[in-house]
Amino acid sequence: GTGAVLQTFNGHTSYVSSVAFSPDGTKVLTGSVDHTAKLWDAGTGAALQSANTHRSKQSHHGQYLFHRFYSYR
């Protein structure tokens, strides 16, 4: 690799603590200490969905959200 930045995802208000890619590599899910999980288009960097994970006991670091997005393909 060249070390070049391929994409920047802007939208969390604090640092990102976890990242996961969809199986086909087209989407990225990020979890932040700002208590949000965000789903992004990997190619464009556009935010596709956002969820507040602070109140959801099932959403530890976006795991439940990731399962929800990708279990119904």
Side-chain angles (χ1 to χ4, degrees):
T2 65
V5 174
L6 300 177
Q7 194 56 262
T8 302
F9 302 99
N10 294 309
H12 287 292
T13 59
S14 191
Y15 67 87
V16 171
S17 58
S18 56
V19 176
F21 284 85
S22 64
D24 63 5
T26 63
K27 295 181 180 61
V28 178
L29 182 72
T30 55
S32 172
V33 297
D34 67 4
H35 301 293
T36 62
K38 295 184 181 288
L39 184 69
W40 310 89
D41 181 292
T44 66
L48 302 174
Q49 291 189 14
S50 181
N52 183 325
T53 61
H54 182 67
R55 294 191 177 110
S56 175
K57 293 177 184 174
Q58 300 174 8
S59 297
H60 181 67
H61 295 289
Q63 290 174 0
Y64 174 74
L65 185 66
F66 185 75
H67 174 75
R68 190 180 103 211
F69 286 135
Y70 292 106
S71 62
Y72 303 105
R73 292 176 13 128

